[in-house]
Amino acid sequence: MQDRIYLTTEEAAAYLRLKERKLYELVAHSAVPCTKVSGKWLFPRAALDRWLEAGLARPEGMQPTNPPPIIGGSQDSLLEVAVRDSGCGLALLAEGSQAGLDRLTRGEVAIAAIHLHATPDDDAANPAAIRAEPGLFDAVVIGFARREQGLLTAPGNPLALAGIASAVERRARFARRQQGAGAQLLLTSLMARDGVSDGRMVMAEGVCATGQDLALAIRTGRADCGIASRAIAAAFGLDFLPLVWEHVDLVMRRRTYFEPATQTLLAWMRRPDMAARARELGGYDLAQSGEVRLNR
């Protein structure tokens, strides 16, 4: 049984040490993770493990306090829509991917939205980063969306920029994101890939906390260019030079996955509304939305 991914009703009852009748009662009340295939109930063993751990009682001092209902980490336009329109009750605190992970580890947020980059085209960067975090030994990584990132410029691209190397060569002023922000990590990796020295970059004054702040800096003339998503460029009427597609993932602890707020958000992500809003914003791919990308 231990090597089976899906258990039958009889096997699941034995695994949980319940009578089959009691298990059917739990199924009838949607109180246990399961799925129905050709008229038969199947129970994902990994999901049963998470379900058990979510209700685990611990001695005083061992039980971690419930984190506040906040999604920290990276800013994303579609995520803002999903949180608002789903009615999940979660708040957003956009400070950058690494800041969100740090808060998640400390129990200051329930979920972290991340897009990390070891190399520009590394689809496994987010799960790899979570595996390397000893404090997130019980983490689950859920795919939210893939989005297109690129170089934003003023309307009409007045400096005729063709990419990162071109912007550095033409002494364009780059809008700066905070250290640990996914966009700043992406910019660093793109420069390394193209062999561009950061010592030649001209940086605009100030630090932009979010993609919207970066777009506003370009729109007002404080900066000439910067890294952000296609959706941000469209919202602010800026030109967009596509560079790479990246994963935006939601990281949480296993117990948070089963919280009503999280389940409400995930349920909305499976609805046609999510796809419709993604098309409106532009630059999103939902092929892996809602998938479990890592379960530690």
Side-chain angles (χ1 to χ4, degrees):
M1 185 188 303
Q2 294 297 321
D3 60 347
R4 295 187 184 179
I5 298 176
Y6 293 95
L7 305 180
T8 65
T9 302
E10 181 182 358
E11 291 169 339
Y15 187 67
L16 297 171
R17 299 186 180 182
L18 297 173
K19 292 186 180 297
E20 288 187 41
R21 180 177 177 180
K22 179 59 179 178
L23 183 56
Y24 277 123
E25 289 179 6
L26 293 172
V27 170
H29 290 87
S30 300
V32 63
C34 58
T35 185
K36 200 170 190 178
V37 179
S38 299
K40 295 183 179 180
W41 290 106
L42 293 176
F43 301 81
R45 189 165 60 83
L48 291 178
D49 290 340
R50 295 194 296 271
W51 178 70
L52 290 170
E53 291 173 0
L56 190 65
R58 296 178 176 86
E60 185 178 355
M62 182 180 175
Q63 174 69 43
T65 58
N66 289 329
I70 298 172
I71 301 177
S74 178
Q75 180 275 331
D76 180 76
S77 300
L78 184 58
L79 180 59
E80 291 175 352
V81 172
V83 168
R84 182 184 66 243
D85 289 3
S86 68
C88 63
L90 293 164
L92 288 166
L93 178 62
E95 299 178 302
S97 295
Q98 190 58 55
L101 277 183
D102 292 343
R103 286 190 181 275
L104 179 65
T105 302
R106 296 194 298 265
E108 296 172 357
V109 299
I111 300 172
I114 64 170
H115 62 111
L116 301 169
H117 296 275
T119 63
D121 303 306
D122 186 0
D123 283 349
N126 290 341
I130 301 307
R131 288 191 188 95
E133 288 280 351
L136 295 177
F137 57 89
D138 56 346
V140 178
V141 179
I142 305 294
F144 178 73
R146 289 178 71 241
R147 68 180 182 187
E148 194 173 20
Q149 290 278 79
L151 190 69
L152 275 58
T153 75
N157 192 8
L159 297 181
L161 305 181
I164 301 296
S166 169
V168 172
E169 185 66 28
R170 293 176 182 272
R171 308 291 291 172
R173 296 166 299 160
F174 279 80
R176 186 200 316 263
R177 294 293 308 279
Q178 67 272 38
Q179 186 175 4
Q184 197 65 28
L185 295 173
L186 175 58
L187 176 59
T188 300
S189 63
L190 286 168
M191 293 180 64
R193 184 185 69 179
D194 296 343
V196 179
S197 170
D198 59 3
R200 300 176 58 200
M201 292 183 70
V202 177
M203 306 304 299
E205 293 184 3
V207 175
C208 302
T210 66
Q212 289 103 323
D213 292 340
L214 182 146
L216 186 60
I218 297 172
R219 190 77 200 185
T220 59
R222 181 160 57 88
D224 297 314
C225 62
I227 298 291
S229 69
R230 180 181 288 276
I232 291 292
F236 282 81
L238 300 175
D239 275 28
F240 180 80
L241 283 65
L243 295 172
V244 69
W245 285 83
E246 66 177 9
H247 284 276
V248 177
D249 292 328
L250 303 178
V251 188
M252 64 201 75
R253 297 190 183 276
R254 290 177 194 162
R255 67 180 186 273
T256 300
Y257 177 86
F258 293 101
E259 290 294 325
T262 306
Q263 287 298 307
T264 298
L265 176 61
L266 295 177
W268 190 89
M269 288 166 53
R270 293 190 288 269
R271 292 172 52 185
D273 308 59
M274 172 88 157
R277 297 309 302 271
R279 287 192 297 270
E280 291 174 1
L281 292 168
Y284 286 98
D285 171 15
L286 303 184
Q288 295 179 274
S289 179
E291 290 187 5
V292 178
R293 303 194 67 217
L294 175 68
N295 179 18
R296 295 194 72 185

